[in-house]
Amino acid sequence: MTHGVASEIRQVPEAWIDYNGHMNLAYYVMAFDEALDVMLDEELGIGPSFVKACNAGPFALQNHVHYLGELLAGDEFLCRFLLLDADAKRLHIAGLMIKLKDQTTVCVMEQILMNVDHGTRRSAPYPADIQTRIAALAAEHKPIARPAQIGRPIGLMRR
C-alpha cells in the first residue's frame, strides 16, 4: 500500500515489551485501534465524536492480524489504513503498521466494522451524509494495491 490514511508517528514504550523482548501482540491491536479511532473521526466522521452525538458507532465484528516483524522498545512506527469496501452499515478496513527506521511492514490488520445503535444494540445504517463520505473514501482507495495478507484464511499451511 503506497497511499491510504496515515496515523501520527508513535514510539513503542518499554511497558509494551513482553518476555520475548519485543512489543506484545495485544499492543499491536491496541495501537491499530487507537489510530483507527482517529482516522474514523477525522476522515469519515464516525469516531468518538459521532458516538457521542448520535448514540451509535462502529463495533468490530471480525479482526485478523498478521504479525510480520518485530517492534522493539523505542522503535517509531505509524499505522496506515485503507478502506477496502463498505455498505450502508459496514466497513472493511486494512491497516498496515510501518516501522519507520527501515519502512518495513511489521503487521497487517484486516477488520470488519458495523455501525450499531447504542439504544437498541442492533445494527443500523449510517446517516446519508456519512454514507456519502464513506463511498468517496472507498472510491479514492479502490485503485490502491491491497496487502497480500487480506482475505487469507487461518490455519496451518501444509506444503
Side-chain angles (χ1 to χ4, degrees), residues 14-152:
E14 186 66 41
W16 290 6
I17 302 304
D18 66 15
Y19 56 82
N20 288 311
H22 60 204
M23 191 162 95
N24 180 274
L25 64 95
Y27 292 107
Y28 285 83
V29 174
M30 186 182 78
F32 272 128
D33 188 54
E34 291 173 354
L36 183 58
D37 280 346
V38 173
M39 188 280 284
L40 293 174
D41 211 32
E42 293 177 357
E43 297 293 322
L44 299 175
I46 60 170
S49 58
F50 175 81
V51 172
K52 287 179 184 174
C54 298
N55 199 35
F59 280 32
L61 297 181
Q62 192 171 35
N63 198 44
H64 294 187
V65 182
H66 299 264
Y67 300 96
L68 307 175
E70 295 180 299
L71 287 174
L72 307 176
D75 281 346
E76 291 185 316
F77 69 94
L78 61 78
C79 299
R80 188 172 295 281
F81 296 101
L82 179 61
L83 182 55
L84 303 171
D85 197 8
D87 62 21
K89 299 178 185 181
R90 298 172 299 169
L91 306 174
H92 183 193
I93 294 175
L96 280 79
M97 190 172 290
I98 311 296
K99 185 190 318 185
L100 293 185
K101 180 174 24 182
D102 57 11
Q103 295 297 303
T104 58
T105 300
V106 295
C107 193
V108 173
M109 177 201 69
E110 178 179 16
Q111 189 171 78
I112 302 290
L113 299 170
M114 182 170 61
N115 188 48
V116 173
D117 180 305
H118 289 190
T120 64
R121 307 308 277 184
R122 307 286 297 170
S123 67
Y126 284 107
D129 63 318
I130 298 293
Q131 289 186 44
T132 299
R133 291 174 83 169
I134 290 169
L137 189 62
E140 181 182 320
H141 289 183
K142 188 171 183 161
I144 300 171
R146 280 29 186 164
Q149 294 78 15
I150 299 305
R152 287 201 177 158

Side-chain angles (χ1 to χ4, degrees), residues 1-21:
M1 178 186 335
T2 58
H3 302 287
V5 180
S7 72
E8 292 182 354
I9 294 171
R10 297 188 65 182
Q11 190 173 42
V12 178
E14 186 66 41
W16 290 6
I17 302 304
D18 66 15
Y19 56 82
N20 288 311

